Amino acid sequence: MLKQLRYIAFLLFPALCVAQEIPDMTPPGISTAIVYTDTNQIASNTDAVEYIDLSRQKLTSIPAVVFQCPNLIYLDLKKNKLENIPAEIGQLNKLRVLNISRNRLVRLPKEIGQLSALKSLILNQNEIIELPPEIGMLSNLAVLDLWGNQLDKLPKEIGKLSETLQYLDMRVIFMSREAQEVIEIMLPETKIFFSQSCNCKD
């Protein structure tokens, strides 16, 4: 039912369903760097790989070779068919941008908290029902895009990001006003985008 409501909201109010005023955290060097789009190329020299774009490839799992790239700073996996992120994601300790939007994720692994260099986490249009407490360990996170998921609250540990998190997008998520206020209290300095609150205790 919630999925249908999100789809209706997207059709009727498209302006509310796109990220607005969210900065582009893509590292500036990507314009002149090699962006790897093929796993065979990645495997040929994993130490040299900094930018990977495996979007729109109908992936149902993240190729293992991705986790063998110790210098990876940008990973784009949007518009695939991913249902989970393996624990190995925690090995990418130089990663700054992770885009897994438009997949089929329900949860994130606790190892996401090991991505200490992460600045932008893009998770919109998944099926995420909760975030792990370890999200509060992302001490450099500036952008968190969650719009169009199935969350009804955020873990209290998100408050640890109050000094670093600049933008939080929670549009097209049906939350009570009370739940929204709790998030605002935890993140008083963050620019938060909500859709209109609902009477959705049931």
Side-chain angles (χ1 to χ4, degrees):
M1 181 64 179
L2 285 176
K3 192 171 184 179
Q4 293 174 335
L5 288 172
R6 290 203 307 274
Y7 179 68
I8 292 170
F10 179 79
L11 292 177
L12 295 179
F13 307 105
L16 297 177
C17 302
V18 296
Q20 300 172 359
E21 301 181 53
I22 302 293
D24 183 1
M25 302 297 289
T26 301
I30 196 171
S31 59
T32 56
I34 298 173
V35 180
Y36 291 82
T37 59
D38 179 86
T39 53
N40 291 325
Q41 292 177 333
I42 295 169
S44 67
N45 192 1
T46 52
D47 286 349
V49 176
E50 294 184 336
Y51 303 89
I52 292 177
D53 184 349
L54 296 177
S55 61
R56 303 177 178 88
Q57 296 195 19
K58 300 181 180 180
L59 299 175
T60 57
S61 62
I62 302 175
V65 69
V66 168
F67 307 117
Q68 298 168 18
C69 300
N71 297 307
L72 187 64
I73 62 176
Y74 176 91
L75 178 57
D76 189 346
L77 295 164
K78 67 177 176 288
K79 296 184 179 179
N80 281 295
K81 299 180 180 181
L82 302 173
E83 296 185 359
N84 61 73
I85 303 173
E88 287 80 4
I89 193 70
Q91 298 171 190
L92 303 176
N93 56 21
K94 293 186 179 180
L95 195 65
R96 297 180 205 165
V97 176
L98 177 57
N99 187 338
I100 317 186
S101 59
R102 299 193 182 190
N103 277 279
R104 301 173 180 176
L105 303 177
V106 175
R107 289 182 174 86
L108 303 182
K110 64 181 182 180
E111 289 78 9
I112 201 79
Q114 297 173 22
L115 302 179
S116 58
L118 198 66
K119 292 182 177 295
S120 181
L121 180 55
I122 311 300
L123 298 166
N124 65 65
Q125 298 174 86
N126 277 283
E127 306 291 331
I128 297 171
I129 60 174
E130 63 180 359
L131 296 182
E134 289 78 8
I135 199 78
M137 297 170 62
L138 299 177
S139 57
N140 284 295
L141 195 66
V143 173
L144 179 56
D145 184 353
L146 295 168
W147 82 261
N149 280 283
Q150 297 191 23
L151 297 153
D152 58 8
K153 62 182 179 179
L154 296 182
K156 65 180 185 301
E157 289 80 4
I158 198 81
K160 296 178 181 179
L161 307 182
S162 60
E163 295 184 4
T164 57
L165 191 62
Q166 299 173 29
Y167 297 89
L168 172 61
D169 196 335
M170 299 198 67
R171 280 171 286 200
V172 200
I173 294 177
F174 296 94
M175 301 184 111
S176 68
R177 182 56 194 152
E178 291 79 7
Q180 292 177 352
E181 288 174 350
V182 168
I183 295 170
E184 290 171 341
I185 291 169
M186 291 191 293
L187 297 168
E189 303 299 324
T190 303
K191 190 165 189 176
I192 306 174
F193 300 90
F194 289 117
S195 289
Q196 185 173 353
S197 59
C198 64
N199 184 13
C200 40
K201 293 182 180 180
D202 297 332

